[in-house]
Amino acid sequence: MSSPLVTYASLGVAIACEVMGTTLLQQTQQFTRLLPTLGTLVCYGAAFYFLTIVLKTMPVGIAYAIWSGLGIVLISAIGLVLFRQTLDTAALIGLGFIITGVIIVNVFSNSVSH
């Protein structure tokens, strides 16, 4: 059984790899550019590998909720900064709810291994 530090570090790496892969996805131009396409595939492969480490000690529903929730927030921030995509008030409120949900799951749920 992995320690909570290994579990959360692996989850952090999985999230980072997924976010990098998704960021590169836009640069692939529908998989017509080789280097961004290869980078996307490597990042997604690494993301799923590290997620399997997390799933040794954390239920898949909880791990995926954290992974996808933080991924959405990070990708939205990257879109805002790198791609100059705008977020309206409703989007910001929704992202706030996602962050709140991730915090509630991590702090109050007995399903998360601590």
Side-chain angles (χ1 to χ4, degrees):
M1 182 174 278
S2 298
S3 72
L5 179 62
V6 170
T7 299
Y8 279 100
S10 297
L11 185 55
V13 172
I15 292 166
C17 289
E18 188 271 333
V19 167
M20 284 188 291
T22 301
T23 302
L24 284 170
L25 190 60
Q26 186 168 346
Q27 304 305 312
T28 69
Q29 296 180 0
Q30 292 76 44
F31 302 111
T32 61
R33 296 181 61 214
L34 182 62
L35 289 179
T37 297
L38 291 175
T40 297
L41 294 173
V42 167
C43 288
Y44 282 152
F48 282 108
Y49 170 76
F50 283 100
L51 185 61
T52 65
I53 295 170
V54 174
L55 297 180
K56 291 178 184 178
T57 57
M58 188 181 290
V60 68
I62 300 298
Y64 194 74
I66 296 167
W67 180 27
S68 60
L70 292 179
I72 289 167
V73 170
L74 291 171
I75 285 296
S76 296
I78 288 170
L80 185 69
V81 173
L82 292 183
F83 304 122
R84 306 279 191 248
Q85 299 168 342
T86 59
L87 298 172
D88 61 13
T89 302
L92 293 172
I93 291 169
L95 291 170
F97 281 133
I98 291 170
I99 293 168
T100 302
V102 169
I103 291 169
I104 289 170
V105 165
N106 277 287
V107 173
F108 298 108
S109 175
N110 292 325
S111 297
V112 178
S113 60
H114 290 290

